[in-house]
Amino acid sequence: MTNTPRTPYEALGGAETFRRITDRFYDLMESEAEFAELRAMHAPDLAPMRGALASFLGGWAGGPREWFDANPGRCMFSVHGDFPISADTAGQWADAMERAIAEAEIENADLAAQLSERLTTMARGMAKVPA
């Protein structure tokens, strides 16, 4: 009997990995000037967002469904529906997340690249305000 991961969540390293990605993502948003416009769209205290995004990403990748259970019928598109997301801010989100995933030292590099690609597509798909 092998311990082959059954979900991307498990293959990527579980809750610890998604927390590491999320923390780095928000650290980049807070510290890098290139993400200033994206940072300005968020509340002053990012602590609740850190927990929510880690929970969402983990559930989305096949892990515990706490975020989805707490937000029935919601998705990232509906949660962000009232935000004036431009192509620029969507790109900032995608760039910060790509860096966060790359810096998370995920053992399965192919799966990490797929995660980054899917999240980039989702982020850029949220743009509704011209750049």
Side-chain angles (χ1 to χ4, degrees), residues 3-25:
N3 289 339
T4 302
R6 296 175 310 200
T7 65
Y9 174 82
E10 293 169 345
L12 288 163
E16 179 182 322
T17 297
F18 286 96
R19 179 49 111 172
R20 197 166 58 246
I21 291 168
T22 301
D23 283 343
R24 183 63 182 140
F25 170 78

Side-chain angles (χ1 to χ4, degrees), residues 59-131:
W60 179 73
R65 308 279 301 166
E66 288 117 0
W67 187 91
F68 294 92
D69 292 343
N71 298 280
R74 305 291 309 268
C75 68
M76 281 297 113
F77 287 91
S78 64
V79 168
H80 293 88
D82 293 335
F83 288 88
I85 300 171
S86 68
D88 287 341
T89 53
Q92 288 176 28
W93 194 99
D95 291 347
M97 183 55 71
E98 183 177 337
R99 279 183 57 188
I101 292 169
E103 294 174 15
E105 300 179 2
I106 297 170
E107 191 173 316
N108 187 331
D110 290 336
L111 192 54
Q114 289 178 38
L115 175 66
S116 184
E117 180 183 326
R118 300 300 185 280
L119 292 174
T120 292
T121 299
M122 183 170 31
R124 293 186 188 283
M126 287 189 192
K128 52 191 166 278
V129 177

